[in-house]
Amino acid sequence: MTKTTAAASRLDELLSDGPAAEVVNALGISALIDLDNGAHRTLIPATTRPLDQALVSSDDIDAESSPLNPAVTIHISSDTVIALADGQLDTVQALTQRRFSADGPIFAALGVIQAITKL
Amino acid sequence: MAISIHPTNDDLTGLAPQHREAVHTLREFAREKIAPTAADRDRAVVGNVDWDLMKQVHQLGGLRLGIPESLGGLGLTTEALGYVLEAFAAADPGFALILGATGLFQTPLMLAGNDRLTAEFLTPFLGDEPIIGCNAVAEELNGTDLVMAQYAPYATDMTTAVRDGAVFRLTGKKKYITNAPVARYATVMANIAGNEGSTGLTCFAVDLEWPGVERGVIHDKLGYRTAPAGELIFNDVAVPAGNIIGGERGGWDLNTAQGSLCRVTCAAMATGIARHSLERALAWVTTRRQSGKALFEHQMTARKIADMAAAVESSRALWIKTARLVDNTLPVPNYEPAIAKMVADKAAVDNANAAMALVGAQAYQLDDDMERIMRDSFGPRIFEGSPEALAMTITNELCQ
């Protein structure tokens, strides 16, 4: 199993039940995780109204998943995903060590990263 | 209709509705409650705050501006925060600084998203009584050596953290810390023992009522006098290892990221000071008459007013643009916040100088508020990166 596959498999847990999925669902936005520069993509659809209404404008929230227009896109390596999931790296370290990049509301992105730490 | 030098409603259209409302409410509070009493606070004995006024601003969310809405805060973006702090700084920069420094304490905790730390250090800000926080970084011998990572080995006699089982024991003294005399909590940057200079910088969340914490000298500052500042002394203070944010030796990375975020709102505050100077000058040059006409009708005066207006508009345009960038981009950019702060800091000082010269002998009186604006205008150049430190950040980013 490649690192990308292993990391992708962990990210799939964000779409099921469990503490990590709960964190992501609470964000209530659609997020695209771009793993290893396009080697794999995980789309997290918006499932509920966001607790933080200001995460995205009402124009951006859509009930349907939209790979073409996620509210936030996160670019991250499989090494970083595995380190976060295994507890070797926390959210703040991943942020301050510049271990990922994101386009979109930054606290939404950080929410997704935090969810990964709960995998 | 006369041109307004305040942020326009167009500027605010990108904000979420509840943020726009919060901005309007807090700006009105700054104008109606803070501005009229700024001179009184400036002349008051230093070291305390007006707790009645703090309670009023707390009820409007002023001490939980950035705390997520899901936790009960206002959840303001950097952009929304900028509008609020520009307005408060135009009224009383010291008051703005109290709010900003409290936010600076809260930011690492929000980033960490740790349930225990959130409950212990963020949830209290959601209660009925106002609580103030501070971010303890600077020391007697260490200023820029705690701002520029390449200088870390040269830091001297740093506040030290020594591991002792499940705790770290903090010993040392922080100086020039905004809110130190009145804060309940602090994020404290200490060097883990055994690391040269400040290379082992680590962020600790500390309750300032713990044994061993002392409040030291209260600084009698030239400006920003509404914001109490002073020393924090740590005498072998036991801090749980679990209170570390960003990992051991992660303080530098955190300091850099947080510093860049903070520089945007610092730029907004400096813009507020620049704007206040312009407002003071406009009040004078539209009423004062010399040679049979209003001052603004004299060409050299007109040129000064135009330059001041350009400084306000360009500073604002830059901090708004930068705020929108940092609200939607990770990693936290370093270049744009440094540029925004450098421009706005200069605008604050230049506009205060120009307004002082325009208003002349009247402004030179101690009972004219212009002298307070003049003193306050230097503040932004001191905190969160001097012009020299900003220049190094900018050049490093351009030349790498």
Side-chain angles (χ1 to χ4, degrees):
Chain A
M1 182 184 278
T2 66
K3 274 188 192 174
T4 302
T5 310
S9 174
R10 303 292 292 270
L11 291 176
D12 284 343
E13 295 175 37
L14 294 174
L15 303 172
S16 59
D17 297 320
E22 279 178 25
V23 172
V24 152
N25 287 339
L27 295 174
I29 57 162
S30 57
L32 180 68
I33 302 174
D34 171 25
L35 190 60
D36 292 332
N37 293 319
H40 182 86
R41 290 181 160 192
T42 301
L43 175 70
I44 302 166
T47 52
T48 60
R49 293 295 297 176
L51 294 176
D52 283 315
Q53 297 284 343
L55 282 179
V56 291
S57 71
S58 57
D59 290 338
D60 294 334
I61 296 171
D62 50 65
E64 305 294 325
S65 61
S66 173
L68 299 178
N69 191 26
V72 63
T73 301
I74 296 160
H75 307 274
I76 194 168
S77 70
S78 46
D79 282 339
T80 299
V81 167
I82 291 168
L84 285 164
D86 288 349
Q88 295 156 3
L89 198 66
D90 66 28
T91 305
V92 175
Q93 289 168 320
L95 167 71
T96 60
Q97 293 175 21
R98 305 165 90 87
R99 294 287 295 264
F100 68 96
S101 64
D103 304 300
I106 62 171
F107 278 96
L110 290 170
V112 174
I113 298 298
Q114 201 178 340
I116 296 175
T117 67
K118 295 186 185 299
L119 290 174
Chain B
M1 187 170 66
I3 297 289
S4 171
I5 58 172
H6 291 222
T8 66
N9 285 334
D10 283 347
D11 290 329
L12 304 182
T13 52
L15 301 183
Q18 71 276 25
H19 287 185
R20 213 177 303 138
E21 187 181 336
V23 167
H24 284 308
T25 301
L26 286 161
R27 277 163 50 170
E28 183 182 351
F29 182 85
R31 188 174 57 245
E32 302 293 326
K33 299 280 190 174
I34 302 299
T37 52
D40 296 334
R41 285 187 298 278
D42 180 67
R43 287 190 285 264
V45 173
V46 293
N48 213 329
V49 296
D50 180 341
W51 285 106
D52 285 339
L53 205 54
M54 293 309 307
K55 185 156 189 172
Q56 290 178 51
V57 79
H58 175 56
Q59 286 167 346
L60 298 176
L63 294 170
R64 56 181 188 277
L65 294 167
I67 294 178
E69 289 166 287
S70 57
L71 295 178
L74 295 189
L76 297 189
T77 58
T78 303
E79 183 183 350
L81 195 53
Y83 295 122
V84 171
L85 291 180
E86 181 186 317
F88 271 88
D92 181 348
F95 204 100
L97 196 60
I98 295 174
L99 305 185
T102 296
L104 200 56
F105 158 76
Q106 295 165 346
T107 298
L109 291 152
M110 294 183 321
L111 294 175
N114 177 296
D115 290 343
R116 182 184 68 79
L117 293 179
T118 294
E120 185 169 352
F121 292 100
L122 281 185
T123 301
F125 288 89
L126 312 173
D128 292 334
E129 294 305 310
I131 294 177
I132 290 171
C134 67
N135 182 232
V137 181
E139 305 197 353
E140 173 90 46
L141 299 177
N142 304 304
T144 301
D145 286 353
L146 296 174
V147 173
M148 307 293 296
Q150 60 264 45
Y151 298 161
Y154 303 104
T156 309
D157 290 343
M158 272 292 303
T159 296
T160 304
V162 178
R163 183 99 194 193
D164 181 10
V167 305
F168 279 85
R169 297 195 174 276
L170 268 56
T171 301
K173 185 195 290 186
K174 294 293 184 185
K175 193 167 183 174
Y176 313 122
I177 308 303
T178 299
N179 293 343
V182 296
R184 171 62 196 275
Y185 304 114
T187 37
V188 180
M189 292 290 188
N191 189 57
I192 292 186
N195 290 281
E196 185 187 16
S198 63
T199 57
L201 205 65
T202 301
C203 180
F204 295 86
V206 177
D207 185 330
L208 296 178
E209 293 188 356
W210 284 345
V213 178
E214 262 183 70
R215 318 282 171 148
V217 167
I218 295 172
H219 302 312
D220 195 3
K221 303 192 282 17
L222 178 70
Y224 281 73
R225 293 174 62 80
T226 296
E231 296 177 340
L232 285 175
I233 302 167
F234 300 93
N235 302 303
D236 207 37
V237 177
V239 181
N243 284 26
I244 289 176
I245 300 172
E248 292 184 31
R249 291 180 297 281
W252 265 111
D253 289 335
L254 179 59
N255 217 20
T256 302
Q258 184 173 256
S260 286
L261 277 175
C262 177
R263 281 172 181 172
V264 185
T265 46
C266 290
M269 287 168 58
T271 302
I273 296 170
R275 185 184 102 201
H276 192 191
S277 293
L278 175 58
E279 287 167 344
R280 180 71 181 89
L282 285 171
W284 182 255
V285 303
T286 52
T287 54
R288 177 80 168 173
R289 297 180 69 82
Q290 292 290 278
S291 307
K293 55 186 177 183
L295 280 188
F296 76 88
E297 295 179 275
H298 293 262
Q299 285 187 340
M300 289 192 74
T301 299
R303 180 56 202 256
K304 288 174 185 169
I305 292 294
D307 284 344
M308 293 173 74
V312 171
E313 298 289 351
S314 57
S315 297
R316 180 177 302 126
L318 258 183
W319 81 247
I320 291 175
K321 175 189 166 189
T322 306
R324 291 172 181 168
L325 176 70
V326 302
D327 278 336
N328 292 283
T329 306
L330 287 174
V332 180
N334 292 323
Y335 174 78
E336 292 86 349
I339 288 271
K341 184 175 187 289
M342 192 172 75
V343 168
D345 289 354
K346 187 173 188 300
V349 172
D350 288 351
N351 275 21
N353 277 332
M356 177 65 88
L358 279 170
V359 184
Q362 173 56 39
Y364 212 59
Q365 308 304 310
L366 282 177
D367 62 359
D368 190 296
D369 209 29
M370 190 60 230
E371 65 85 27
R372 175 179 69 85
I373 301 171
M374 186 82 177
R375 286 186 280 109
D376 287 341
S377 73
F378 284 94
R381 301 181 69 143
I382 296 170
F383 53 75
E384 215 56 62
S386 64
E388 293 77 16
L390 298 176
M392 294 203 62
T393 296
I394 291 164
T395 306
N396 286 342
E397 293 284 326
L398 281 171
C399 297
Q400 62 180 290

